[in-house]
Amino acid sequence: MKKQYFFARLFVRVAKGLALLVILIGVGFCVLRYYQASIAAGAVAYQPSSHLQQALDRLKAAFLATEQIIDSFNARNQSKTPNFQAPRFPLVIDSDNDFARISAELSRVDHERQQLKESIVSRFENLVKSIEEKLHAYAAVLQSSPSPTPATDQNLISNATPTPSPTSREESLFLSQLGSSDANERSANLKERKEFLKVLAMRAENADNRVTLGEAADQLERLAKLLPERFNASTAAQPDTATASSKDPQAEQHGKVLPSERVARQLEQLRGGVRQMLLTSWTLDDRFEQVANLGSAERDKYRAAILAQKSVWLSAASRIVIGLLATGLVSLLIVVFADLVQTQLDTATSSGTVADAVNALRGQVAQVSDPAQMTMAGEDWPAEGGS
């Protein structure tokens, strides 16, 4: 009996070790999957952008330089410059909170740069707006009663005398990449508007209006000094375009618009033109746009990297859980089957023992019954032989 069921007995003996081996294999598989997931997640992780950090540094430098130039200009112009703090950006940008801080700081910088722009043209615009309001009010009074037509803008501009070009600045608010055509156009337009204001000041009958217009022309001349050196150097080479622009007022002269209303509209357009020439194409604007675009792109990259990392970890976690469940199930089955085999072996052993006992008992009974038969047969044999 000992030689029977060899493999069954061997399985029962090694079942616990085999279950432990399966558990170790499952744990090793899970550890391997975790290590692979760590490598994959690190490969797709977001890497801080050096270009974004450099762009932020350039924006900070441009903001400080712009604030310094405007503060110096407003100090000479007896204007007030708002007090602002320098932009503060994170030193390392590798989290969603860092991008949120950058977005909040950019919103503040955008608001402050608009205030800086308004601070340099506010005095000029207030002076021109005061004349506009007076002209609108005067036109409203003259709606029902015509008045003698004042000197047309053709005469006002044609009698203007050129003024010396403003001195240049070593530092500039404007981009150095501006083309020469744009530079020449801005310079010529500023010169034309300055002469237009001076002629209006000379033609004005009211002393207060003459003072206001003269001061507005002086403000425009000071604002022109903010232009870069090559802007101002190109002014002398440009022809006087005042006569070319005087065609529109001449055409309006035959319309129903009152001269005061027409001049008010021209002043309004003048203000818009001055804002367009002096408050655009700044270095600060270019640096701000670069940071805004680059920051948005980097934030999209960061979110894509986070999603990729989550995908890697979810895939790895699902495989690890499946591996652990499979390991536990296989180990349990091994132990259960070992118990079943052991039960069968015990049953087989018990059955063999009972069978041996029964066979032994039958042998003993047979041995006991055979001598009696032999004795009976022996007693009969002599009688038969004698006869």
Side-chain angles (χ1 to χ4, degrees):
M1 294 297 296
K2 293 183 179 179
K3 296 181 180 180
Q4 295 179 350
Y5 310 114
F6 173 75
F7 291 104
R9 294 180 184 276
L10 180 63
F11 174 73
V12 171
R13 290 178 182 177
V14 302
K16 293 182 179 180
L18 185 61
L20 181 60
L21 179 62
V22 171
I23 292 175
L24 292 177
I25 293 175
V27 172
F29 171 78
C30 295
V31 172
L32 179 62
R33 289 303 307 170
Y34 178 82
Y35 179 71
Q36 292 177 344
S38 300
I39 295 177
V44 299
Y46 174 77
Q47 301 297 328
S49 174
S50 59
H51 296 289
L52 178 58
Q53 195 66 51
Q54 293 173 0
L56 292 174
D57 294 339
R58 289 194 297 267
L59 174 61
K60 183 177 180 180
F63 182 87
L64 294 176
T66 300
E67 187 178 17
Q68 183 178 2
I69 294 173
I70 294 178
D71 184 66
S72 177
F73 171 80
N74 288 337
R76 293 192 305 269
N77 197 36
Q78 297 180 357
S79 300
K80 184 178 180 181
T81 304
N83 294 325
F84 299 125
Q85 293 182 352
R88 296 180 180 179
F89 300 108
L91 298 178
V92 179
I93 306 168
D94 57 358
S95 67
D96 197 30
N97 291 333
D98 295 334
F99 284 103
R101 288 176 56 189
I102 291 177
S103 179
E105 196 68 12
L106 288 180
S107 298
R108 185 180 69 86
V109 171
D110 185 26
H111 178 68
E112 292 178 354
R113 69 168 177 153
Q114 297 300 331
Q115 290 185 349
L116 287 174
K117 290 183 177 182
E118 294 296 332
S119 67
I120 64 173
V121 297
S122 59
R123 186 173 179 182
F124 169 76
E125 290 197 337
N126 291 334
L127 294 172
V128 177
K129 281 182 180 180
S130 63
I131 299 298
E132 289 181 31
E133 293 174 356
K134 292 179 180 180
L135 291 174
H136 284 305
Y138 183 69
V141 173
L142 296 180
Q143 286 295 330
S144 56
S145 58
S147 60
T149 304
T152 61
D153 298 324
Q154 170 95 19
N155 297 329
L156 291 179
I157 299 176
S158 61
N159 293 332
T161 56
T163 56
S165 59
T167 58
S168 61
R169 294 180 54 89
E170 295 181 357
E171 297 180 352
S172 175
L173 299 171
F174 300 87
L175 288 170
S176 58
Q177 294 88 352
L178 284 176
S180 58
S181 60
D182 191 8
N184 297 338
E185 182 179 0
R186 293 192 185 197
S187 179
N189 288 336
L190 281 178
K191 180 180 178 181
E192 177 186 346
R193 284 160 175 77
K194 180 183 64 176
E195 293 175 352
F196 176 73
L197 290 176
K198 287 187 175 182
V199 172
L200 283 181
M202 290 187 297
R203 299 285 180 164
E205 298 179 357
N206 189 289
D208 294 336
N209 293 342
R210 285 198 301 270
V211 173
T212 302
L213 289 171
E215 188 175 355
D218 294 339
Q219 284 293 315
L220 190 56
E221 184 175 0
R222 293 191 184 99
L223 290 171
K225 294 180 181 180
L226 293 173
L227 295 172
E229 181 178 357
R230 63 173 183 174
F231 280 29
N232 298 322
S234 62
T235 302
Q238 289 297 315
D240 192 0
T241 58
T243 56
S245 62
S246 62
K247 295 181 181 179
D248 294 336
Q250 185 178 5
E252 291 182 359
Q253 183 177 2
H254 302 285
K256 297 181 179 180
V257 180
L258 293 176
S260 57
E261 187 70 22
R262 184 177 64 248
V263 175
R265 292 179 182 178
Q266 290 175 347
L267 290 177
E268 183 178 0
Q269 294 176 359
L270 183 145
R271 287 192 299 106
V274 170
R275 292 181 65 90
Q276 180 67 24
M277 288 180 288
L278 291 176
L279 303 185
T280 58
S281 302
W282 282 22
T283 303
L284 179 60
D285 297 337
D286 182 68
R287 298 290 185 265
F288 181 85
E289 292 298 329
Q290 289 180 0
V291 171
N293 296 333
L294 188 57
S296 178
E298 291 297 326
R299 190 165 192 173
D300 292 339
K301 290 181 181 179
Y302 172 79
R303 291 175 177 175
I306 292 298
L307 291 177
Q309 282 185 314
K310 289 182 179 180
S311 177
V312 169
W313 283 115
L314 286 176
S315 177
S318 62
R319 295 186 179 185
I320 289 174
V321 170
I322 293 174
L324 290 176
L325 291 177
T327 300
L329 180 61
V330 172
S331 300
L332 180 62
L333 289 176
I334 290 174
V335 175
V336 170
F337 278 116
D339 290 341
L340 291 176
V341 172
Q342 182 66 45
T343 301
Q344 294 295 329
L345 290 176
D346 292 341
T347 302
T349 303
S350 300
S351 299
T353 303
V354 172
D356 292 341
V358 170
N359 292 332
L361 182 60
R362 287 180 180 178
Q364 292 177 1
V365 172
Q367 291 177 2
V368 172
S369 60
D370 288 343
Q373 293 178 358
M374 292 176 62
T375 302
M376 293 177 60
E379 292 178 352
D380 293 341
W381 287 347
E384 294 178 355
S387 59

